[in-house]
Amino acid sequence: MILAGYRMFSVTYTDEKVLLYSDSIIALKKDKSDINYPAIAYEKKGDFFYAKRAYKLALDNYLQFAYYAKKHNQKQMISNANYNIGIIKRRTENLKEALELYQSNYTFTKQNKDKVSTRTYLNSITAIANVFNDMGEGDSASYYNKLGYKEAIRLKNERFRKHFAINQGISEYHCQKFKIAIDSIIKYIPHYENLNDYDKLSFAYYYIGEAYWKLNKKEIAITYFKKVDTAFEQMQSLFPKLQKAYVRLDEYYICLLYTSPSPRD
């Protein structure tokens, strides 16, 4: 009963009380672990620290989650842990490690479609496409985008269908198809703006900006790089790759400064 109460409170709260109740579960079960505990408590702590952008602490707890899941051969938990650790690895630009973890996660979800949620399955495909895009491997990312798009249609999941479509636009950018990339991404901007989904928008704005930059339409590109900054102000967080938007802004305005006519005395 005590354990069930701690578990309920650790799920109910979103503030520091999550840590209080999760730590209570860990204290009770660390030396007497079972198929659920303390693994789930470590996962909750990892989620809490990830939401706070304390990635090192999140990773430490996800690794403990993985340890106890493996100890009790809980394959779905192991897969979830791989996915969570992969997110941290991607955030910290350890892309090869992230890809290996995501591929392991996808292997499990693909083999257990009847046991995992639609969201979990489609997320496992999205994760691989995302990291291939981060690596600049547009062809590989495109393979998973197209797979995910077909699966999203089959599973009647419009949210993921749109995600794979906009992600394919990013893959087109990495394949040097800049006009196609712009057209593919820009059509979904209103949808994500209506949702205030600044995470998706930050990527969309950045890659539209980069595509226009490559096409030497720098004034248009700058408007999108500014939008990346607006997204950052809303989230107070930005994937490292997208920080190049600020490099572009600096480059543009420094160039403008030194090429503008000097005022006459």
Side-chain angles (χ1 to χ4, degrees), residues 27 50 65 82 100 103 113 115 138 158 164 174 204 207 220:
Y50 182 81
F65 172 41
N82 285 336
E100 290 176 5
Q103 287 172 329
K113 292 179 189 177
K115 297 178 183 178
E158 186 65 6
F164 285 114
H174 288 301
Y207 279 103
I220 302 175

Side-chain angles (χ1 to χ4, degrees), residues 168-180:
Q168 179 59 24
I170 296 172
S171 300
E172 299 291 1
Y173 168 85
H174 288 301
C175 292
Q176 311 296 305
K177 298 175 182 178
F178 303 125
K179 290 182 180 179
I180 295 174

